[in-house]
Amino acid sequence: MAYRAGSLIIFLSGITLLLVSSTTAAPKGLPKITTILNEFKEFSVINGLFTKYGLAEQMNDWGTLTVFVVDNAAMGPINALPPNKAKEVLMLHAILEFYAPEKFSVKGAGKDIMMLTTLLMTTGEAHGQRGFVIANNKTPGGATFGSAITGAQFKAKFVKGVKVEPPAISVIQISEPIIPPG
């Protein structure tokens, strides 16, 4: 009898794992973030770091995603961080939902303030508001972005939509990295 109960638990655990992975994993054929960013030399540094830290693979597995990128000239603040902090900051640039660039490009295009869930939230390491980014759509000319941590500055500005493949991925350029305080 104990053997059957143990088998049933293993079977149910396997079914649960299968259901969870089938609802979160990207279907075959969805665009790969590195393939998309390879088309744009101005994003080669962030693209390389997404790969170096294993984040490209995580993003590709997610399914629907908005990725905020900064050009090579604006990567200095991330490159100056220790590796564990750089990885955390890069995870804040992967938003776990699809947003077309128009959502952020014009004042009032979306809600005035939006809290966006990032890849950092999937790690279990994001305590409090650390795994969220806030988009402030009240600013003229497009949204500004910052960490949801109290005291964060909203200096990153919407620049342009880079590439959009609905409903899977939207790549949006922002003016500078989103780096939380502390």
Side-chain angles (χ1 to χ4, degrees):
M1 187 65 147
Y3 175 74
R4 286 187 180 181
S7 296
L8 180 61
I9 290 170
I10 291 170
F11 174 76
L12 292 175
S13 297
I15 293 293
T16 302
L17 182 61
L18 179 64
L19 288 173
V20 169
S21 66
S22 69
T23 58
T24 58
K28 297 288 183 211
L30 285 182
K32 304 284 187 212
I33 186 64
T34 51
T35 303
I36 291 170
L37 291 178
N38 280 341
E39 297 175 33
F40 305 94
K41 299 277 188 241
E42 64 267 34
F43 305 119
S44 62
V45 174
I46 198 166
N47 193 20
L49 290 177
F50 284 153
T51 301
K52 175 181 177 179
Y53 292 118
L55 302 178
E57 185 175 329
Q58 290 178 41
M59 287 186 245
N60 292 337
D61 288 343
W62 190 256
T64 58
L65 195 67
T66 300
V67 181
F68 294 139
V69 295
V70 296
D71 65 24
N72 296 341
M75 286 296 295
I78 292 178
N79 288 330
L81 296 171
N84 62 331
K85 181 73 172 170
K87 181 177 179 178
E88 181 180 299
V89 166
L90 288 165
M91 292 178 98
L92 290 175
H93 291 74
I95 310 303
L96 302 181
E97 294 180 61
F98 175 86
Y99 292 101
E102 297 78 21
K103 188 84 163 175
F104 305 117
S105 64
V106 180
K107 180 181 176 186
K111 296 178 183 177
D112 286 337
I113 305 281
M114 298 171 56
M115 187 170 296
L116 310 173
T117 306
T118 71
L119 191 61
L120 185 58
M121 288 301 295
T122 67
T123 66
E125 300 292 320
H127 304 290
Q129 302 297 312
R130 193 157 198 82
F132 296 97
V133 164
I134 293 179
N136 179 353
N137 227 14
K138 293 181 178 181
T139 49
T144 56
F145 304 90
S147 168
I149 295 175
T150 303
Q153 297 182 8
F154 291 80
K155 298 189 312 182
K157 296 179 174 131
F158 173 88
V159 175
K160 66 180 180 181
V162 175
K163 183 132 185 182
V164 181
E165 295 189 18
I169 193 164
S170 177
V171 180
I172 296 173
Q173 183 181 1
I174 57 176
S175 61
E176 61 185 80
I178 300 165
I179 300 179

